Amino acid sequence: QVQLVESGGGLVQAGDSLRLSCAASGRSISRYAMGWFRQAPGKEREFVALINWSGGATSYADSVKGRFTISRDNARDTVYLQMNSLKPDDTAVYYCARRGEATLEYDYWGQGTQVTVSS
């Protein structure tokens, strides 16, 4: 079993920055791709960013490209999401998730951390 715990959310103003962390325990995530997702009130959960196991490849949703950066520290079994130039539309609960090696589906999820951006 893998437990994922997100942290770093909060209330900020438009234009501010936040760094989210996703710490894994139970089993290492060092050999797995990891993703960040978000869900705003009344909306479906959406993909935000993905990083491969080594950190050598990343991908982003168009809505965050150029503003958010995903990274990881495999020695700490932690994945990060640096969010700059935040906008009110970024307000959501942010989740990290592990992507299974064989299925490429996200099989473990954290409980989420709230990010609220005021205008």
Side-chain angles (χ1 to χ4, degrees):
Q1 290 288 332
V2 176
Q3 292 80 42
L4 301 174
V5 179
E6 302 94 336
S7 61
L11 172 62
V12 297
Q13 293 187 331
D16 286 351
S17 298
L18 277 176
R19 189 176 83 154
L20 305 183
S21 299
C22 169
S25 62
R27 295 184 65 181
S28 175
I29 58 169
S30 63
R31 294 196 60 79
Y32 293 87
M34 296 292 296
W36 283 98
F37 293 77
R38 66 187 182 186
Q39 186 167 21
K43 295 187 177 180
E44 294 190 353
R45 185 169 58 198
E46 64 174 0
F47 167 79
V48 174
L50 174 69
I51 188 166
N52 77 333
W53 71 272
S54 68
T58 58
S59 63
Y60 298 92
D62 287 343
S63 59
V64 307
K65 204 172 292 184
R67 299 188 298 121
F68 289 11
T69 302
I70 188 172
S71 62
R72 66 189 301 159
D73 183 343
N74 283 341
R76 289 183 166 84
D77 270 330
T78 301
V79 179
Y80 304 98
L81 186 68
Q82 177 67 43
M83 306 186 295
N84 298 331
S85 302
L86 283 161
K87 306 174 181 180
D89 283 350
D90 296 319
T91 295
V93 178
Y94 284 72
Y95 301 89
C96 66
R98 190 190 83 166
R99 194 171 76 167
E101 279 185 300
T103 66
L104 301 185
E105 294 180 354
Y106 293 91
D107 52 8
Y108 288 97
W109 294 80
Q111 83 292 345
T113 186
Q114 176 71 47
V115 172
T116 303
V117 185
S118 64
S119 57

